[in-house]
Amino acid sequence: MIRQENCKIVSNRQIAKDIFELVLEGELSAEMKQAGQFVHVKVADGFDPLLRRPISIASINEGSYTIIYRRQGKGTSLLAGKTKGTTVDVLGPLGNGFPVDEAKQGQTAILVGGGVGVPPMYELAKQLARGGVKVVTIIGFQSAQDVFYEKELAEFGEVYVATVDGSYGRKGFVTNVLDVLCLKADFLFACGPTPMLRALENRNDARRTYLSLEERMGCGIGACFACVCHTKDDPHGFSYKKVCSDGPVFQAGEVVI
Ligand code: FES
């Protein structure tokens, strides 16, 4: 069930350049089930719905949950300034996450995260590992100062880091790492910038690929059409999906990205 709640800040700390980890307490955490779902966070007071920002859920715990966001612009700068003990207005959980149940014990899943697409991979890795699925995670960033959650993800399996400028991990993109590893997995789950998702869409690293789209959103609940994308079988017609309520996770080939 979707709820709106004033969640109490347990911690709000910077973990990389302009990247903040926000731990919130609230009954809303009990509604969170699927890795890959997101919340719509009100970053400032007022009635304008654009004051909300979609932020993916990084970790679900009992009574609390963690979200990770990038400080860019006024709204998220205000959020970064909020302190422990104060509250944040949160709407969620929203959207459909990754189909964790499709992966069976003993199977292998490659998880790929780019930039602020990395956070949902943490909860996903946790749930898959709990179900006996072998997890290999590849995370990509611009530079060493942008890297986060390498150690945390290593709790659940091998982790490879790529940076575009080569200042940390392997130089290049997540796809360069995939080229070197030459894995044949049962599943590939990814979240990150659109060019990264496009590059992953047509590869054959896994039998099934699921991509989580990062889309500009308005309402977050399927009412405003700000987030529509066309379906692949009707790329110029009237067939579309809403990223916020039909997604954000889609199987590769389902929508035009
Ligand atoms: Fe309003 Fe998706 S954000 S319909």
Side-chain angles (χ1 to χ4, degrees):
M1 194 181 69
I2 298 171
R3 316 170 57 116
Q4 184 178 355
E5 187 181 358
N6 284 321
C7 294
K8 194 163 147 203
I9 297 179
V10 177
S11 66
N12 188 18
R13 64 180 186 115
Q14 188 165 0
I15 54 170
K17 182 170 177 265
D18 288 326
I19 300 291
F20 288 75
E21 180 199 64
L22 175 61
V23 182
L24 293 165
E25 226 168 51
E27 288 171 26
L28 215 125
S29 62
E31 307 292 339
M32 296 174 175
K33 305 276 184 262
Q34 276 181 314
Q37 287 185 297
F38 64 99
V39 289
H40 221 20
V41 177
K42 196 166 181 190
V43 290
D45 296 331
F47 295 104
D48 186 347
L50 295 173
L51 295 171
R52 287 194 185 274
R53 298 281 182 281
I55 302 175
S56 54
I57 298 162
S59 181
I60 307 165
N61 298 299
E62 227 175 282
S64 72
Y65 59 99
T66 303
I67 57 177
I68 292 170
Y69 60 95
R70 189 196 302 280
R71 179 176 59 191
Q72 52 179 17
K74 203 166 145 228
T76 42
S77 294
L78 287 167
L79 191 59
K82 295 208 182 223
T83 51
K84 184 179 170 180
T86 58
T87 60
V88 186
D89 178 336
V90 181
L91 181 71
L94 302 173
N96 295 301
F98 292 99
V100 174
D101 294 343
E102 280 188 24
K104 304 291 176 229
Q105 187 169 10
Q107 291 191 315
T108 304
I110 305 171
L111 276 53
V112 182
V116 278
V118 170
M121 295 304 142
Y122 180 78
E123 179 62 30
L124 181 60
K126 194 205 291 180
Q127 292 187 7
L128 289 167
R130 199 188 289 151
V133 177
K134 182 174 184 259
V135 173
V136 178
T137 306
I138 304 164
I139 49 179
F141 304 91
Q142 281 299 319
S143 184
Q145 61 194 359
D146 304 311
V147 177
F148 63 92
Y149 264 44
E150 179 189 8
K151 191 164 60 52
E152 286 81 351
L153 284 160
E155 291 169 41
F156 310 112
E158 290 165 47
V159 180
Y160 299 88
V161 183
T163 52
V164 176
D165 67 3
S167 54
Y168 189 84
R170 289 158 202 245
K171 184 173 167 44
F173 298 99
V174 290
T175 43
N176 298 123
V177 178
L178 282 167
D179 288 340
V180 174
L181 294 179
C182 274
L183 297 169
K184 277 280 166 268
D186 297 287
F187 294 91
L188 186 144
F189 300 115
C191 183
T194 306
M196 185 193 99
L197 300 181
R198 280 198 194 116
L200 292 170
E201 192 180 21
N202 298 313
R203 293 179 59 100
N204 290 316
D205 305 289
R207 286 193 297 114
R208 295 184 101 160
T209 296
Y210 287 91
L211 307 170
S212 179
L213 273 54
E214 287 181 346
E215 203 56 47
R216 194 158 270 285
M217 285 186 198
C219 69
I221 52 167
C224 77
F225 293 80
C227 66
V228 293
C229 56
H230 285 284
T231 56
K232 272 258 164 96
D233 53 7
D234 185 22
H236 305 295
F238 295 104
S239 171
Y240 62 84
K241 299 264 182 188
K242 292 175 188 167
V243 175
C244 71
S245 52
D246 297 317
V249 176
F250 295 97
Q251 190 166 357
E254 199 178 342
V255 296
V256 180
I257 54 175

